Amino acid sequence: MKAIVIHDKKDLRIEERETAPPLPDEVQVHIATGGVCGSDLHYYNHGGFGTIKLREPMILGHEVSGHITALGANVKNLSEGDLVAVSPSRPCYDCKYCQEALHNHCLNMRFYGSAMPWPHIQGAFRESINVLGPQCVVANDLSSGEAAMAEPLAVTLHATRRVGDLLGKRVLVTGAGPIGALSIICARRAGALEIVATDLSSNALAQATFAGADKVFNVADDTDALGAYSADKGVFDVLYECSGAASALAMGIGALRPGGTIMQLGLGGDMNLPMMAITAKELSLKGSFRFHEEFSLAVALMSEGLVDVSGLITHTFALADAVQAFETANDRSVAMKTQISFA
Ligand SMILES: [Zn+2]
Ligand SMILES: [Zn+2]
């Protein structure tokens, strides 16, 4: 089978890998679709991020769906031919955080396509993969592209759960890439009254509008676009900071009202914080990292027609054109979510 392997920055290769029959608790999945995520792009563009560096060739990818082609002897509730969304969350279920049901903080997490541990955790951009039965969520009502959106949707569902009550709240989303757009969808679903989005790309802001934003502002054209929202100590109850840019965080904090909540989702390395404003406005600063049980909720919301992500998938490339897929995903002036078809 073929796999998409990163060797070094800008050195992406399609290589042959062995397949094995599934173990008794596993199923074999023929991957249908894989979504290119920001972390995949970091490995492609820079060979890693922060202190995390590639030290051996690694199969990329963690946003995948596919069809079950073989079942291990112990697996119930799944059938050959099922389309499944495959959760890349593989905690140990044994460490102290797993015991506390904080699976996303597992000390032995084996999240697909991650160079954090050594040896690296090989990813899921491959024609075939053996996964544990409980990693699979049946998604027969969805397209394989939608099913592959379960992972980023689960990220924003987890963040939305951590934000808390959104009924009737005013929400600002800074950074309207896929995570920003999905945050808009989740906040609306959770009852937000008004949602405003900012970005530097007019293409991203068009997608934010599709996702349900009531107003969008291009802060490349007008750095004071949120000025009116900053009067009288601010308007917004919640900021989803999805850009990872210190300037966006500072602008957003200026527009948050007293008692508001900052939900930091963007990963841009360490940033300076406007601590005086956080203190004086009594703001809450929250982080959010990955997800666990929200993965099956993501599939359920899409399957029930309560969340529609299909319009966010702007490009799909064949496996043979993987390099083109990564280059397109890099271009925010055209791409929102870029996917690779393994079918
Ligand atoms: Zn992702
Ligand atoms: Zn654990």
Side-chain angles (χ1 to χ4, degrees), residues 91-99 103 105-109:
C92 72
Y93 295 100
D94 200 36
C95 71
K96 64 174 181 175
Y97 296 114
C98 283
Q99 298 288 340
H103 298 104
H105 296 290
C106 174
L107 295 171
N108 309 301
M109 175 63 81

Side-chain angles (χ1 to χ4, degrees), residues 202-283:
S202 53
N203 174 56
L205 290 170
Q207 294 284 335
T209 301
F210 165 82
D214 302 298
K215 273 209 182 93
V216 298
F217 293 101
N218 191 325
V219 286
D221 307 336
D222 180 3
T223 50
D224 192 37
L226 293 182
Y229 292 93
S230 302
D232 297 335
K233 294 193 178 185
V235 167
F236 297 105
D237 302 285
V238 174
L239 166 64
Y240 283 78
E241 205 304 291
C242 302
S243 74
S247 56
L249 177 64
M251 183 184 65
I253 285 174
L256 273 178
R257 52 172 288 147
T261 299
I262 305 156
M263 169 44 65
Q264 184 63 39
L265 273 164
L267 293 167
D270 289 340
M271 297 190 226
N272 284 324
L273 281 174
M275 196 55 79
M276 280 304 295
I278 291 174
T279 303
K281 286 188 179 182
E282 302 186 325
L283 302 179

Side-chain angles (χ1 to χ4, degrees), residues 37-53:
C37 181
S39 62
D40 299 314
L41 284 174
H42 272 289
Y43 291 118
Y44 177 72
N45 292 325
H46 312 295
F49 44 89
T51 56
I52 319 283
K53 287 269 172 285

Side-chain angles (χ1 to χ4, degrees), residues 37-39 62-63 151-152 155 337:
C37 181
S39 62
H62 58 267
E63 301 180 4
E151 195 270 347
V155 168
K337 177 57 76 178

